[in-house]
Amino acid sequence: MMIRRIATIWKILNAPCREMTLLLSREQDDPLPALEVFALRLHLLYCSACRRYKRNIGVMRRAVRRAADALDASSTPALSPESRRRIKQAMDDSSDLQG
Amino acid sequence: MPEYYPKNTATNPSDWLERHGDAMYRFALMRIRDSEAAEELVQEALLAACKNQATFSGQSSERTWLIAILKNKIMDEMRRRAKVAARHEEMDLEHLAPDPTFNRRGLWAVAVERWPESEAGTSGGAESGEFWAAFQGCLSGLPQTWADAFVLRELDGASTEEICKLLGVTSTNLWTMLHRGRTQLRACLEQNWFLK
């Protein structure tokens, strides 16, 4: 039991970049367990590629949200005249049915 | 309220398309990434709104109410296409090819560059449209379910619990999808936007 626990801890602490970036991604969505947080801190101390990954996915998240907000506030793209006519027709038909 | 005064004067179905149609279309297109499907969803939402006018309380704005109905339609569509995808490879993460970003030992196989501090071009304005186009291009390189998971998380701020339920995946699978999606998007946007 004890040995298995130690083996698990050892594995998490020594996980390679693939696993560490999984934690960095997961951290953007859910809180991490304490051991994972510790392992990640330690890894980031000496891994500059993972440090850049962490920063980049943060920049990416903010950029996507800002662009989405800007698009929400803009006036394009818009419904084509043709699809607008089709939707209007469908709405008129359904209100006729409802009387 | 005097009796002769009609209820729900704030809302009149014949105005909805004119006043909110384009905003609804943008909302759907940003999430569903297919113009025909987006038009279809706007129509479905408007028809559903006509039928359920009584649920409009007037406490929220007409736009907010219509968008909420549309959002439900979008989620139905994402649930539907996740079910279709589940029959194919992309959700079967165990049999998926390993992430080419990392070598067999799990170490970086590609460069991770430092991006400019300024976060250039992402401050809104005219450039945000260009950024959005680059982002959409990168997103289209992802399996649809990964892209849907990313969109739900980043655009709608849905919790992982909600996304798991909607797409019918475990949280471990979702974390993996989001990780691989972000890793691929990061590399693609580095090439096509941030270090272009």
Side-chain angles (χ1 to χ4, degrees):
Chain A
M1 232 1 230
M2 186 67 177
I3 287 174
R4 193 184 288 175
R5 177 96 185 112
I6 290 171
T8 309
I9 293 173
W10 184 252
K11 206 175 146 198
I12 292 173
L13 287 175
N14 288 286
C17 299
R18 180 177 43 222
E19 270 60 56
M20 292 300 175
T21 54
L22 172 61
L23 292 179
L24 285 171
S25 168
R26 194 175 136 187
E27 201 184 29
Q28 289 213 323
D29 308 314
D30 289 299
L32 291 179
L35 177 62
E36 276 80 351
V37 171
F38 179 71
L40 200 49
R41 289 248 172 88
L42 213 60
H43 181 82
L44 290 177
L45 280 180
Y46 60 84
C47 182
S48 57
C50 285
R51 278 203 303 274
R52 286 193 293 274
Y53 179 90
K54 179 184 162 82
R55 192 173 317 144
N56 291 355
I57 61 172
V59 169
M60 191 166 80
R61 161 171 276 187
R62 289 191 293 277
V64 168
R65 285 187 180 162
R66 253 197 306 253
D69 286 346
L71 208 62
D72 261 337
S74 77
S75 52
T76 51
L79 283 167
S80 65
E82 189 198 325
S83 59
R84 187 182 285 272
R85 262 197 304 278
R86 206 170 46 233
I87 294 172
K88 187 168 185 332
Q89 187 63 52
M91 287 177 78
D92 290 347
D93 291 351
S94 96
S95 67
D96 285 350
L97 283 176
Q98 282 169 26
Chain B
M1 196 179 278
E3 234 170 83
Y4 53 82
Y5 206 70
K7 241 179 124 186
N8 285 341
T9 46
T11 196
N12 182 0
S14 55
D15 297 336
W16 292 345
L17 182 59
E18 199 51 53
R19 282 154 85 173
H20 311 297
D22 289 340
M24 290 173 79
Y25 173 66
R26 275 193 296 283
F27 188 90
L29 185 61
M30 282 162 77
R31 285 156 180 83
I32 230 71
R33 304 183 299 284
D34 174 287
S35 55
E36 266 181 49
E39 287 166 6
E40 190 69 31
L41 288 168
V42 170
Q43 175 168 327
E44 275 181 37
L46 284 170
L47 291 178
C50 287
K51 259 191 224 155
N52 298 295
Q53 267 182 75
T55 66
F56 180 68
S57 64
Q59 281 177 356
S60 59
S61 76
E62 201 173 80
R63 167 87 49 103
T64 308
W65 176 67
L66 288 169
I67 291 283
I69 295 171
L70 178 61
K71 201 169 173 174
N72 280 323
K73 298 283 172 199
I74 291 169
M75 301 219 291
D76 288 345
E77 171 62 12
M78 283 188 175
R79 187 183 295 119
R80 188 197 63 78
R81 64 191 195 184
K83 262 188 202 148
V84 174
R87 289 188 226 122
H88 305 292
E89 291 264 350
E90 68 183 52
M91 310 257 296
D92 188 4
L93 294 166
E94 274 175 34
H95 298 99
L96 196 72
D99 192 339
T101 312
F102 302 96
N103 67 21
R104 222 181 294 166
R105 288 164 54 218
L107 304 177
W108 284 103
V110 301
V112 183
E113 302 293 344
R114 192 191 176 86
W115 293 355
E117 289 294 332
S118 61
E119 301 190 7
T122 60
S123 51
E127 258 192 304
S128 63
E130 287 169 44
F131 173 78
W132 191 261
F135 167 60
Q136 291 300 303
C138 289
L139 204 58
S140 67
L142 261 54
Q144 193 163 55
T145 312
W146 302 9
D148 283 349
F150 185 82
V151 162
L152 285 164
R153 181 72 197 121
E154 303 295 342
L155 260 56
D156 295 320
S159 70
T160 48
E161 209 183 335
E162 291 168 318
I163 302 171
C164 284
K165 236 173 153 183
L166 187 72
L167 301 180
V169 296
T170 64
S171 52
T172 305
N173 275 358
L174 180 62
W175 287 327
T176 302
M177 284 181 196
L178 286 170
H179 172 229
R180 291 198 54 169
R182 283 188 179 115
T183 303
Q184 199 174 318
L185 284 174
R186 193 213 65 80
C188 180
L189 282 171
E190 180 164 291
Q191 265 196 345
N192 295 297
W193 186 261
F194 288 102
L195 294 185
K196 199 180 161 190

